[in-house]
Amino acid sequence: MNRRWWLPLILALLFLLSILLPHFGILNLYLQQVLMYVGINIILTISLNLVNGYMGEFSVGHAGFMAIGAYISSLLTVWVFPKSWGPFVFPLVLILGGLGAALAGLIVAFPSFKTRGDYLAIVTLAFNMIIKSVLENIEAIGGPRGFMGMSKLTNVAWVYVWVLITIFAIRNFVFSAYGRGILSIREDEVAAELVSVNTRQTKILAFVISSFFAGIAGGLFAHVLQFINPRSFTILKSTDVLVMVYLGGIGSIMGSILGASIYTILLELLRPLGVWRWVVGPLLLVILMVTRPRGIMGLREARWLLPAEEVQADAAVTS
Amino acid sequence: MPLLQVRGLTHYFGGLKAVANFNLDLEPGELVGIIGPNGAGKTTVFNLITGVYRPTEGQILLDGHNLVGLQPHAITNKGIARTFQTIRLFKDLSVLDNVRIACYSQVRYSPLAAFLHTQRFREEERQTREEALRLLDIFNLRRYAQAQAKNLPYGEQRRLEIARALATRPRLLLLDEPAAGMNPGEIQRLMELIQWLRREFQLTIILIEHQMRVVMGICERIQVLDFGETIAEGKPKEIQNHPRVLEAYLGKGVA
């Protein structure tokens, strides 16, 4: 007996649409591109939300992890695999990019044992800058000129699938003992340890999972644009993701979906404003922080995203 | 064999000696009180036993095994749980989650099982929930299960903290001023609760308390600290009239 039989149905229907609409040219290339950016930004936002929202740390270097995923996956599709294999090895390539980013996430997790708050923010900022500098200084992968030659392997359907994987992987994780451990770190780290939460273990998990999905987003991004350079992954890109996280609301997957969608589409709509549109984002953030500091969804979750068992059991408790 | 042995425990904050040569032997099932004026080092002793601070000197043995140098969660897993002088609940989380978080180390499924929602994951999650609800029932908190912890009345927050501590399945429970801020009626119920818990969960308890009524009423043995030093120990009756205790609390010349 599944109370929510309609959810898989809708998700499957959307999957069909994500293949059919582009196939029959109902969505033009520009709209497809916007949709793909929305999806990629959703993945980035949810994954950053795990560290910044659920765990309550302040990582400002998310673009660094994205860069690692983007470069690893691009190098693999251009140098390692024959071009004709592209569509078949693409999922594997993305995962390898994600794993590379996850490894970097593991390294960043260690300073988080000893520092938190502002100091950890500086560590992640430094990490972002190091990644950019390293990429700029390796001539073999194009240095500051960037790297190209990727086929356009990313399409709307692939982005959709990865968005779903991200949503459900992180949802399932958050609603587990490990996820509750992450929440307890945000609430009171010392008390968490004293009620048996292995905070080092949970911090490692949070950083590794968060950076894995940032790496996936980077791989998808590289194969939409078919050109990447180190300047695409600076602190500015990280700031964009921060805006989307706090716009949508911390500790909420639905919030991240909304935040990423609204912000991405808004910036597209404001294209006629030229350079001025870059004022809108930060201004929006200021207004939001003053009027609704927890974002649109702040710490609340949409009902359809709660695990069925939780909803049923909760209903049983109160009745 | 004693459950807990503390030998020559000494701790400095910078140049300040917070605890000096603290010794304690605790037999299973005992209920021991630690009293002393503010700043005497009582809570520091708890922080040392639970691994929040690493002692400058001294030994802490549980069942003869050394605890010094272990991370706090590892010490908790060996069977020591505590509550806090000022309430430290996970305020924004539900009452149920506050207790479920304390079941962290009882979970055996891997993170991968959590991602995939395997059968094992669902079964263990169901058990965790039942365990947590059972504890909430004991403390009469079940009706608040979905409420945010910060919205509970003060007395309920205190009880929730004890429930959360018990969820870690301790053998030794450290209670840090559980009666603080309670009225006489609540204090009476608290004393009954502590004694009931002790029997029901077969607990050994160390109690820090300022309310003399509680300490004298339920503790079998009392240790008095002042400026980090143990100035007296013995049965409640002996402590009440001990000259050094009166001096520490009331000043010289009284005794």
Side-chain angles (χ1 to χ4, degrees), chain A residues 168-173 175-178 180-181 183-202 205 209 213 294 299 307-311 313-318, chain B residues 50 52 71-74 76-77 80-82 84 88-93 96-97 100-105 107-111 114-117 121-122 125 128-129 133 142 145-146 150 164-165 168:
Chain A
F168 285 99
I170 293 193
R171 194 282 307 266
N172 288 352
F173 183 70
F175 286 93
S176 75
Y178 301 103
R180 289 191 293 268
L183 295 175
S184 73
I185 291 177
R186 179 187 72 205
E187 295 290 313
D188 186 334
E189 192 173 337
V190 175
E193 271 279 331
L194 289 170
V195 297
S196 82
V197 177
N198 185 343
T199 57
R200 294 187 176 187
Q201 182 188 36
T202 43
L205 280 171
I209 294 165
F213 284 107
R294 281 182 161 177
L299 295 180
E309 304 95 77
E310 289 276 327
V311 177
D314 284 351
V317 168
T318 37
Chain B
T50 53
V52 177
Q71 283 178 270
H73 75 264
T76 307
N77 286 336
I80 302 182
R82 70 177 284 186
F84 300 89
R88 290 183 86 159
L89 290 169
F90 306 123
K91 293 192 201 69
D92 284 327
L93 305 183
L96 177 65
D97 277 345
R100 280 201 290 185
I101 285 166
C103 300
Y104 184 88
S105 62
V107 155
R108 291 281 157 259
Y109 59 74
S110 67
F115 283 129
L116 302 175
H117 260 225
F121 166 84
R122 287 201 298 262
E125 279 291 290
T128 304
R129 173 185 288 268
L133 286 174
R142 190 187 177 114
Q146 319 290 0
K150 66 179 174 195
R164 185 179 67 172
T168 66

Side-chain angles (χ1 to χ4, degrees), chain A residues 6 24 51 73 100 105 111 121 135 138 142 144 148 164 166 185 201 227 229 239-240 243 246 248 252 265 289 291:
Chain A
W6 46 266
F24 291 108
V51 169
S73 58
L135 293 174
I138 303 177
M148 59 180 92
L164 280 192
T166 310
I185 291 177
Q201 182 188 36
F227 166 70
N229 78 42
T239 314
D240 269 348
V243 172
Y246 292 99
S252 167
I265 292 169
M289 286 295 111
T291 57

Side-chain angles (χ1 to χ4, degrees), chain A residues 26-46:
Chain A
I26 300 167
L27 276 178
N28 66 35
L29 283 176
Y30 170 70
L31 285 178
Q32 285 182 35
Q33 179 134 336
V34 173
L35 264 184
M36 286 190 273
Y37 283 144
V38 168
I40 290 167
N41 284 337
I42 289 175
I43 297 175
L44 285 171
T45 310
I46 293 177

